[in-house]
Structure formats: structure tokens, C-alpha cells
Amino acid sequence: IYFIEALIIWQYGVRMFPSKYSKSTELLWSILLYTIPFALSLVENIWLNIFSFIVINFVYILVIFKTAWHIALFHSAIVTAIMGITEILCSTFFTQFTYAFFEDALLPQNLILLAMVTKLTYHLALQIIASLFSIENKTLSFLNLESSILILIPFVSMIVMITFASICLSTRVSTP
């Protein structure tokens, strides 16, 4: 799953920013950097996973592409927010149509199906964003009040998403 996420963020970055390196170097960096969140995911701490995902995406965008730090921070927050939103939406979709999905959530076919749908949705959402807002080999290197406020939007979205996830993780819902 992390290899797929690395390819998705690489494809997003290629469409959004001019590159500093060759395609093979970009892919190598993405695979190497995404081994870190994979290793941290083995701890099974959702907050550590979210934090590592933001940091790895920030470092990846900043190191591989020609962009300023505040733009890399903004896009890493956007990518993380989109990832969380697509996972929540896909999980909600499955539970609405099959009440027994979470009872058998650890079955391999359920895990594979959920992973495929969430990663495809995540990829689709990022590609839509990249096609709408690509900068066409231009780098925004200014930091002003408007761009500072824009940086806050994905972080506020993540706080809302984390709040909903915390409620969902701590509240038991009975099925009819």
C-alpha cells in the first residue's frame, strides 16, 4: 500500500512542480522515503502515521521538486487531508452498503477491496487537483498573508477529520 502511495504522490508532484532530478531519481527517492511511514505504521499509532505522512510528503516535495518550503508544506497538508478524507469516505461507503463489512474487516478480500477503492479514490482526487491547479513549470516563491491563510485550510480540514476519526474510533455503533 505504501508503494502505491509513493507512486501516487510522485505522479502528483510531477504534474504540479518542475523537477530537480531525473524520473528514476524521483522514483527512487519516493520509494526510499515511503519506507519510513511503512516502518512507523507497524507501531499501529494513528497519530504517528498522520504526522509521519505529513512530514514525509513535505520533505519529498521540498527535496525533489523546485518549490518553496511554504508551498511544499501546503501541498503536503493537502495530500494528507485528501488521503484521510478518501479513506473515511470509502470506509463509510462500505459500511452503508454492507453492515457486516466491519465484522469481517480483517478478511483478506475485504482489506484488499477497501485498499484498492481508497487508493483509487485518493489517486483520482489528487489527479483532479493536479489538473485543475498545476503550475506549468512555474514556482511560486512568495509568502504573503493570502498564501499563509491558504496554508491553514488543509490543516483545519485535518483537525476536523481527526476529530471525526477519534469519535468513530472511540464510539461503538450498534447495527440494526
Side-chain angles (χ1 to χ4, degrees):
I1 290 176
Y2 285 91
F3 178 69
I4 294 168
E5 289 174 3
L7 291 176
I8 292 170
I9 190 66
W10 171 72
Q11 200 172 30
Y12 175 78
V14 165
R15 292 191 66 189
M16 292 297 289
F17 311 107
S19 179
K20 293 180 185 175
Y21 304 104
S22 68
K23 300 288 183 216
S24 59
T25 305
E26 290 171 0
L27 276 172
L28 180 64
W29 269 103
S30 65
I31 292 169
L32 289 175
L33 281 174
Y34 267 80
T35 58
I36 296 168
F38 171 72
L40 292 175
S41 73
L42 299 175
V43 177
E44 296 183 4
N45 183 333
I46 191 169
W47 309 115
L48 182 63
N49 290 348
I50 292 169
F51 180 74
S52 69
F53 196 74
I54 292 172
V55 171
I56 292 300
N57 286 329
F58 173 71
V59 169
Y60 178 72
I61 292 170
L62 195 61
V63 168
I64 298 300
F65 302 106
K66 296 176 188 172
T67 189
W69 70 267
H70 59 278
I71 294 173
L73 181 63
F74 175 76
H75 284 277
S76 67
I78 287 286
V79 165
T80 305
I82 295 295
M83 168 82 116
I85 290 168
T86 56
E87 286 190 5
I88 289 171
L89 287 175
C90 292
S91 297
T92 303
F93 175 79
F94 277 106
T95 57
Q96 290 298 318
F97 289 102
T98 58
Y99 290 113
F101 181 77
F102 280 115
E103 291 175 7
D104 298 327
L106 295 179
L107 291 176
Q109 63 267 27
N110 287 354
L111 290 174
I112 291 170
L113 180 63
L114 185 60
M116 284 177 35
V117 171
T118 56
K119 297 312 164 205
L120 286 172
T121 308
Y122 173 58
H123 183 255
L124 176 67
L126 286 184
Q127 290 307 306
I128 290 171
I129 290 171
S131 65
L132 292 175
F133 300 109
S134 66
I135 300 176
E136 297 295 322
N137 295 330
K138 294 179 189 171
T139 303
L140 300 175
S141 59
F142 57 88
L143 180 61
N144 56 26
L145 181 62
E146 293 85 11
S147 62
S148 299
I149 292 171
L150 283 175
I151 289 173
L152 293 176
I153 292 171
F155 285 108
V156 171
S157 300
M158 283 189 299
I159 290 169
V160 171
M161 177 188 62
I162 289 169
T163 303
F164 285 139
S166 296
I167 292 169
C168 291
L169 291 172
S170 64
T171 306
R172 181 158 176 85
V173 179
S174 60
T175 57

